[in-house]
């Protein structure tokens, strides 16, 4: 089982990331993609990656930080030199928080997509209340190797992302009882494009809701998806792990 999106190097795991990873391993996790969003996280990532060879990395300028885009570009180049780096991300658009201007967000997104393409790396995409603009920008890069992280949207938009070759990843919200829309999406996404993630420390799944999320909680998400699809959980684990290995080139 691979957690394709966890902020393991962020402040909320600073004191106990080793215990967190140990618990994850005990729960059956054999891969974690650690998302690096700040330059101070690079050093923490190195320590984690040195101790645990099941931890991989992705680095990107988050839409929240697009305002300091020029300053942050260095982090992107430096980040990719760290061990076991597998992707550029998370990148994208966030019109909900709008911590950076829309214009800056679009530029940062576009340039990082170009950068990832040059490096032949997949992208991890964050899109919140910005689906139409996300699609518009991505269309120029079609086909794209990447994943729509913590996806929520209409069935129609999901199909447009799938048409571009993207994977679709579900996180804790798929376990929330009021998430009727995710119910439909989790049933409809083709198995060969399905990924799972915790987005730790955010968005803990229903049984742990309100607590700090961690990769060891991923099984709640997988169980819920298997239930919704009326499929065997071992099959969902097998296929999502194979998909993660394929996208992030993890051997
Ligand atoms: Zn994230």
């Amino acid at each position: 089982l691979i957690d394709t999106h966890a902020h393991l190097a962020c402040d909320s795991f600073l004191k106990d990331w080793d215990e967190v990873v140990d618990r994850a391993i005990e729960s059956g996790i054999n891969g974690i993609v650690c998302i690096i969003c700040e330059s101070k996280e690079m050093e923490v990532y190195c320590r984690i990656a040195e101790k645990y060879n099941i931890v991989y990395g992705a680095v990107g300028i988050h839409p929240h930080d697009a305002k300091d885009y020029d300053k942050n570009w260095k982090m992107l180049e430096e980040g990719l030199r760290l061990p076991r780096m597998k992707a550029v991300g998370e990148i994208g658009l966030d019109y909900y928080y709008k911590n950076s201007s829309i214009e800056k967000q679009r530029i940062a997104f576009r340039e990082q997509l170009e950068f990832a393409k040059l490096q032949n790396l997949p992208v991890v995409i964050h899109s919140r209340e910005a689906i139409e603009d996300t699609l518009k920008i991505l269309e120029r890069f079609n086909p794209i190797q990447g994943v729509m992280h913590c996806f929520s949207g209409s069935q129609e938009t999901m199909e447009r992302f799938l048409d571009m070759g993207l994977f679709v990843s579900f996180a804790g919200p798929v376990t929330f009882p009021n998430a009727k829309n995710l119910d439909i999406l989790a049933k409809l996404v083709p198995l060969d494009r399905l990924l799972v993630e915790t987005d730790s420390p955010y968005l803990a799944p229903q049984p742990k809701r309100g607590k700090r999320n961690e990769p060891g909680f991923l099984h709640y998400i997988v169980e819920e998806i298997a239930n919704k699809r009326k499929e065997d959980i071992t099959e969902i684990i097998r296929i999502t792990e194979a998909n993660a290995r394929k996208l992030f080139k993890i051997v």
Side-chain angles (χ1 to χ4, degrees):
L1 192 52
I2 294 183
D3 185 353
T4 62
H5 194 116
H7 296 264
L8 255 191
C10 80
D11 284 350
S12 78
F13 295 115
L14 209 50
K15 288 200 186 106
D16 63 345
W17 51 260
D18 40 4
E19 287 161 42
V20 168
V21 179
D22 285 339
R23 280 198 291 276
I25 293 168
E26 247 167 72
S27 79
I29 298 283
N30 60 2
I32 301 171
V33 179
C34 173
I35 307 289
I36 300 167
C37 296
E38 288 182 63
S39 40
K40 67 174 183 182
E41 294 176 355
M42 291 198 289
E43 186 254 331
V44 184
Y45 169 78
C46 286
R47 279 190 276 144
I48 305 173
E50 195 183 342
K51 180 159 180 192
Y52 296 100
N53 62 8
I54 62 155
V55 174
Y56 304 87
V59 63
I61 300 159
H62 195 283
H64 293 338
D65 303 314
K67 52 183 179 299
D68 301 317
Y69 169 66
D70 300 332
K71 234 169 49 198
N72 285 330
W73 188 262
K74 219 173 72 195
M75 172 183 86
L76 204 60
E77 289 178 332
E78 279 173 21
L80 286 186
R81 284 186 222 122
L82 304 180
R84 292 196 298 278
M85 296 301 288
K86 297 295 184 184
V88 173
E90 55 187 297
I91 60 174
L93 303 173
D94 194 316
Y95 295 174
Y96 179 78
Y97 283 113
K98 279 200 199 122
N99 287 352
S100 298
S101 74
I102 287 181
E103 200 38 49
K104 285 267 183 188
Q105 289 192 38
R106 286 183 187 144
I107 295 169
F109 188 27
R110 236 183 271 130
E111 294 202 359
Q112 289 183 97
L113 284 164
E114 267 160 31
F115 180 72
K117 202 150 208 170
L118 278 174
Q119 305 278 338
N120 192 28
L121 284 171
V123 284
V124 178
I125 298 167
H126 171 108
S127 178
R128 188 154 183 203
E129 306 216 340
I131 289 275
E132 277 311 314
D133 274 10
T134 306
L135 279 162
K136 218 184 284 166
I137 289 174
L138 287 177
E139 255 146 26
R140 290 192 228 158
F141 295 87
N142 187 5
I144 305 151
Q145 40 164 347
V147 52
M148 292 306 297
H149 124 77
C150 193
F151 185 71
S152 70
S154 68
Q155 187 185 329
E156 190 237 321
T157 52
M158 182 171 80
E159 269 151 23
R160 288 169 71 189
F161 289 118
L162 290 168
D163 285 344
M164 292 188 213
L166 287 156
F167 286 78
V168 171
S169 177
F170 296 107
V174 81
T175 66
F176 299 168
N178 58 355
K180 296 278 170 272
N181 180 43
L182 289 172
D183 218 89
I184 300 166
L185 299 178
K187 278 182 208 155
L188 288 177
V189 61
L191 271 185
D192 64 351
R193 297 295 187 83
L194 171 65
L195 290 175
V196 286
E197 63 174 279
T198 58
D199 202 11
S200 301
Y202 315 107
L203 297 170
Q206 188 63 24
K208 301 285 180 186
R209 210 163 164 181
K211 297 203 173 113
R212 182 185 70 169
N213 197 5
E214 59 177 68
F217 298 162
L218 186 62
H219 62 96
Y220 293 113
I221 293 161
V222 181
E223 274 160 27
E224 187 58 41
I225 293 173
N227 282 344
K228 288 191 198 308
R229 298 181 67 106
K230 298 191 171 47
E231 279 185 72
D232 196 42
I233 184 159
T234 53
E235 178 61 6
I236 300 290
I237 291 173
R238 189 192 63 78
I239 193 94
T240 55
E241 177 175 338
N243 290 343
R245 289 190 186 280
K246 185 173 165 201
L247 177 65
F248 294 108
K249 301 182 186 87
I250 295 173
V251 285

